[in-house]
Amino acid sequence: MVQFVGLLDARGTVLEINKVALDAVGITLSDVEGKPFWTTVWWQVSEEANQGIRDMIARAAKGEFVRWDTPIYASADGSVTIIIDASLTPVMDDDGTVVFICAEGRERY
């Protein structure tokens, strides 16, 4: 099973992405670090997928755990699209404020 993992700030900005996810599309962390997650290559497969990740980040930023199936790009040139079981988990501080969002995706077979 392939596991894609990322850490976002509470606004959805990329802080960290695991090597498996980066290698799948032929990029490095410096290519996406500091950028909104929805602007990264994985989410450009369709307007629907892109709007979906935006909507899900907004929900996670409010403290909700969200999970859904979605297509993403799995190659640098966009020739490979896969369906992942995606989830966003809010990480809260002691006061209950969302400070990070953990993004995960597992390829569906």
Side-chain angles (χ1 to χ4, degrees), residues 17 21-22 24-25 27 32 37 40-45 71-73:
I17 301 287
L22 296 169
V25 292
I27 62 174
V32 293
F37 193 41
T40 61
V41 64
W42 302 282
W43 302 102
Q44 305 314 306
V45 68
I72 62 167
Y73 281 137

Side-chain angles (χ1 to χ4, degrees), residues 7-15 34-39 53-62 88 91 98-101:
L7 183 65
L8 316 175
D9 71 12
R11 293 178 311 280
T13 303
V14 175
L15 301 174
K35 296 181 179 176
F37 193 41
W38 58 88
T39 67
I53 188 61
R54 289 175 188 233
D55 294 344
M56 297 302 179
I57 287 171
R59 290 171 58 184
K62 293 178 183 174
L88 297 175
V91 178
V98 175
V99 290
F100 299 110
I101 298 170

Side-chain angles (χ1 to χ4, degrees), residues 2-5 84-87 103-107:
V2 177
Q3 180 84 16
F4 302 108
V5 181
I84 62 168
D85 172 10
S87 63
E104 297 181 84
R106 293 148 300 282
E107 186 174 6

Side-chain angles (χ1 to χ4, degrees), residues 28-86:
T28 65
L29 179 59
S30 63
D31 294 323
V32 293
E33 188 176 21
K35 296 181 179 176
F37 193 41
W38 58 88
T39 67
T40 61
V41 64
W42 302 282
W43 302 102
Q44 305 314 306
V45 68
S46 71
E47 181 55 38
E48 182 180 1
N50 190 270
Q51 188 60 53
I53 188 61
R54 289 175 188 233
D55 294 344
M56 297 302 179
I57 287 171
R59 290 171 58 184
K62 293 178 183 174
E64 182 182 349
F65 168 80
V66 291
R67 184 176 180 185
W68 74 110
D69 289 344
T70 186
I72 62 167
Y73 281 137
S75 66
D77 64 1
S79 65
V80 178
T81 301
I82 61 172
I83 303 297
I84 62 168
D85 172 10

